Amino acid sequence: MIKLEVDQTNAKKNERLTRALLGSLEVAINKKLKKVPSGTIAVAYVTDSQMKKLNTQYRKKDKTTDVLSFSYLDEGQPETLGDVVISVPQAKRQAEGSLRAEILELIAHGVLHVLGYDHMKSADAKVMLPLQDKIVGSII
C-alpha cells in the first residue's frame, strides 16, 4: 500500500489540500492501480526558483516545470518509493479550474511516474493519462 507524505509548507493556507482530500487521493491511488508496492512517496510543494534549480540539475532544462518525480524503486529502498515535487506557482498558472484539482492531478501524475508509468510514447500515454484521470476523477 502506498502512503503519501505531503509537505505543503511552501503553499498558502488557502492553497493547501485538506487531510481528508489527501486521504481520499491515497485511497484512490491504492484502489485504481492493479499492483501497488508498499511504501511512502514524499510530496513537496516548492517555489518556481526551487523547481527551476531542480529541473536544471536533473533534466538539464533551465526553466520551471509543474511536477518532477524521482523514483527509488530500482534502488532497493523498500520503504521509500520516491519523491514528487510540485511548483505551486506553476500549478496556479496552468489551472483551468480549481487550484486544488490541478494539484491533485499533479500529485497523481507524479506518483504514476514514480511507479514507472510514462507518457512520452503515444502507447504509454494511452495507459498513464486515463489512469491518472480515473484516480483524480474518483475523488473530485
Side-chain angles (χ1 to χ4, degrees):
M1 185 151 104
I2 292 175
K3 181 173 179 352
L4 298 175
E5 289 183 359
V6 183
D7 177 356
Q8 301 182 84
T9 55
N10 276 328
K12 295 175 186 168
K13 286 187 181 184
N14 66 337
E15 298 169 342
R16 296 178 185 175
L17 301 180
T18 64
R19 288 184 193 265
L21 197 51
L22 288 168
S24 295
L25 179 60
E26 199 172 86
V27 167
I29 288 167
N30 286 298
K31 275 187 170 181
K32 300 293 180 189
L33 300 177
K34 291 180 182 172
K35 283 190 170 183
V36 181
S38 288
T40 300
I41 297 176
V43 179
Y45 292 8
V46 297
T47 64
D48 272 343
S49 62
Q50 291 168 316
M51 182 61 91
K52 182 178 177 182
K53 185 184 257 185
L54 290 168
N55 203 23
T56 301
Q57 181 178 353
Y58 292 102
R59 297 181 64 226
K60 308 297 184 235
K61 295 187 178 190
D62 189 27
K63 62 181 182 176
T64 193
T65 188
D66 53 2
V67 61
L68 287 174
S69 301
F70 304 92
S71 180
Y72 310 132
L73 290 176
D74 295 336
E75 296 179 20
Q77 296 182 23
E79 293 176 16
T80 305
L81 303 175
D83 293 318
V84 174
V85 184
I86 295 171
S87 167
V88 176
Q90 181 62 33
K92 278 186 196 177
R93 287 190 292 273
Q94 67 193 33
E96 292 177 8
S98 78
L99 176 60
R100 287 189 172 100
E102 181 68 20
I103 290 173
L104 286 170
E105 288 276 346
L106 294 174
I107 293 173
H109 189 88
V111 166
L112 290 172
H113 275 307
V114 166
L115 298 176
Y117 290 86
D118 202 358
H119 53 85
M120 296 305 288
K121 296 179 185 169
S122 177
D124 294 336
K126 287 179 184 177
V127 173
M128 181 182 174
L129 300 179
L131 186 54
Q132 176 183 316
D133 291 343
K134 283 181 188 175
I135 290 168
V136 176
S138 71
I139 58 175
I140 292 183

